């Protein structure tokens, strides 16, 4: 829920974890904003539609396998849940 007094939004169901900043044929490069890890249930929000999936693999910016994205300042690659246009896509973690 958006809180105008705090100047932020909060939810007890989801947390914003990153935004898409690039992609290739099968993966999306995420600019991480909040931590998430392999095994988390995530939702990719795109202008066309949303995709919910469980994160199975995570790669750092150099495409080396890691188990978690530690937070702001990191960039990671995740597999695309489906063939989708990732421009302006956001990533949230389901709580």
């Amino acid at each position: 829920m958006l809180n105008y007094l705090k100047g932020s939004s909060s939810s007890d169901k989801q947390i914003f974890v990153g935004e898409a900043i690039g992609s290739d044929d099968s993966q999306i490069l995420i600019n991480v904003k909040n931590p998430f890890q392999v095994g988390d249930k995530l939702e990719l929000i795109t202008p066309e539609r949303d995709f919910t999936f469980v994160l199975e693999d995570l790669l750092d910016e150099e495409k080396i396998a890691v188990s978690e994205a530690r937070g702001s300042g990191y960039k990671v690659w995740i597999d695309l849940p489906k063939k989708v246009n990732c421009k302006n896509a956001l990533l949230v973690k389901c709580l």
Side-chain angles (χ1 to χ4, degrees), residues 77-90:
W77 289 94
I78 64 170
D79 291 335
L80 283 169
K82 298 199 181 225
K83 193 80 166 168
V84 63
N85 178 1
C86 300
K87 186 175 181 178
N88 300 320
L90 301 176

Side-chain angles (χ1 to χ4, degrees), residues 55-69:
L55 185 63
E56 295 180 5
D57 296 303
L58 186 60
L59 305 174
D60 68 12
E61 197 170 4
E62 287 78 35
K63 295 201 172 187
I64 297 170
V66 294
S67 61
E68 65 180 328

Side-chain angles (χ1 to χ4, degrees), residues 35-55:
F36 62 96
Q37 62 188 4
V38 171
D40 283 345
K41 184 177 177 182
L42 302 176
E43 185 172 358
L44 182 66
I45 301 169
T46 73
E48 290 90 29
R49 61 183 286 207
D50 303 343
F51 300 95
T52 301
F53 61 100
V54 174
L55 185 63

